[in-house]
Amino acid sequence: MTRSPSPSSVPPEAPEAPGEPAGPDGRTARAGSAELTDPVDSLILHTTDNGVCRLTLNRPEVLNALTADQRERLIGRLADASADPDVRAVVLTATGKGFCAGADLRGAPSAEERVAGDVARLIRHGAQRLITAVLDCEKPVIAAVNGTAAGLGAHLALACDLVMAAESARFIEVFVRRGLVPDGAGAYLLPRLIGPQRAKELLFFGDAVPAAEAERLGLVNRVVPDGELMTTARKWAERLAAGPTRALALTKQLVNASLDSDRAAALTAEATAQEINMTTADAQEGVASFVARRTPAYRGR
């Protein structure tokens, strides 16, 4: 199939990658399928265990630059996670030295082959749909950033609800290096995370931001040693999976919407979300356990 011609990012040269980080823990494709019949299944590894769905980008030889097929599979997997009551948290990670080097531009049509509107259409239906799928996923999504996250790859991580990074990870707004405007919601996400001045600094210069600096700026929740990345991410995911799933989904919606709402709209949304949430079994369990002075046992319902 044709690879995405979106200019979401050109993969950085391989020498820019940091040292080898911890990869997945060896789990295979989702139980029940002994063989991978779809080639994309080997490029987006998928496991679900104990309420946690893990999606792993698996093209380490190109620092996990995303093809159009991979992008569509990720969007589909995130939609599946939203709809599956047995999935209560998602971890997004990758194999090898890179988390994601952005969109794979090899095979993209040349400027002579494009007509007006092509690029905007491809971005809307490609990179922007992917980021929206993360933002709109009804389950908490944790990014476990194991290496370089560049361009769209950086935005894929930053769109997640929580971002954990290995010490060797780094984030690069690579667009300016190629004479491009940021896409994949970069100019939307960054100012909301770190403010407009800091966002412009990253976008204007395109400097690599090491994990420790990313944490200081507020791009990352936690930095851990490379060898502890997946263990720590899984602990966080299992804590979320044991929580009140619908309440977390509604909380995620409230926080995300608040960034684009005035106070009146935000407070109205809050009251409506609480009204909806009080109809769930988990909310009733939470109140009952508080009254009985016991630990709640949430079921994600």
Side-chain angles (χ1 to χ4, degrees):
M1 295 186 182
T2 303
R3 293 187 172 96
S4 171
S6 165
S8 298
S9 88
V10 178
E13 294 79 5
E16 291 187 344
E20 182 73 33
D25 57 11
R27 298 178 193 270
T28 57
R30 191 167 188 165
S33 177
E35 295 183 359
L36 299 174
T37 56
D38 186 338
V40 183
D41 283 338
S42 67
L43 304 179
I44 302 288
L45 304 181
H46 174 224
T47 68
T48 300
D49 180 50
N50 200 25
V52 177
C53 168
R54 192 168 74 190
L55 303 175
T56 305
L57 308 183
N58 189 36
R59 294 181 75 216
E61 68 280 3
V62 291
L63 298 182
N64 294 300
L66 281 173
T67 66
D69 289 345
Q70 287 178 289
R71 182 193 68 226
E72 293 305 310
R73 180 57 55 85
L74 269 181
I75 292 171
R77 291 298 192 197
L78 290 165
D80 292 344
S82 286
D84 187 347
D86 293 329
V87 173
R88 300 173 66 183
V90 177
V91 174
L92 179 60
T93 190
T95 59
K97 297 180 179 180
F99 174 74
C100 179
D104 190 333
L105 298 181
R106 290 173 296 183
S110 65
E112 291 77 15
E113 296 174 306
R114 292 195 300 263
V115 298
D118 278 354
V119 173
R121 187 180 310 106
L122 287 164
I123 290 172
R124 287 196 305 270
H125 295 298
Q128 290 178 354
R129 281 181 58 245
L130 175 59
I131 300 305
T132 298
V134 178
L135 293 170
D136 290 347
C137 182
E138 295 179 27
K139 309 298 166 63
V141 183
I142 298 174
V145 183
N146 56 295
T148 296
L152 177 60
H155 302 163
L156 179 61
L158 299 179
C160 293
D161 302 301
L162 300 170
V163 183
M164 185 174 296
E167 289 177 340
S168 64
R170 56 190 187 152
F171 300 80
I172 311 173
E173 288 297 330
V174 74
F175 300 92
V176 71
R177 298 187 184 185
R178 318 302 187 213
L180 301 174
V181 170
D183 63 39
Y188 174 86
L189 292 169
L190 281 170
R192 286 163 171 77
L193 290 169
I194 58 176
Q197 278 74 29
R198 289 290 192 184
K200 290 172 187 173
E201 180 181 345
L202 299 187
L203 293 167
F204 288 178
F205 292 113
D207 294 333
V209 180
E213 176 68 4
E215 183 181 31
R216 188 186 71 79
L217 288 172
L219 294 171
V220 168
N221 294 91
R222 194 72 52 85
V223 176
V224 299
D226 287 23
E228 299 176 14
L229 177 65
M230 292 313 304
T231 299
T232 309
R234 184 160 190 86
K235 286 180 180 177
W236 276 25
E238 289 179 345
R239 285 183 63 187
L240 292 170
T245 305
R246 297 310 305 162
L248 292 176
L250 289 165
T251 300
K252 173 175 177 172
Q253 291 173 15
L254 285 174
V255 173
N256 287 349
S258 74
L259 299 172
D260 301 308
S261 302
D262 59 28
R263 182 176 64 183
L267 296 183
T268 298
E270 176 185 88
T272 301
Q274 193 68 288
E275 176 75 24
I276 295 170
N277 186 66
M278 288 304 294
T279 67
T280 67
D282 279 350
Q284 296 169 37
E285 165 64 9
V287 173
S289 64
F290 174 76
V291 173
R293 297 185 179 181
R294 61 174 172 78
T295 302
Y298 297 120
R299 298 186 298 111
R301 302 294 195 275

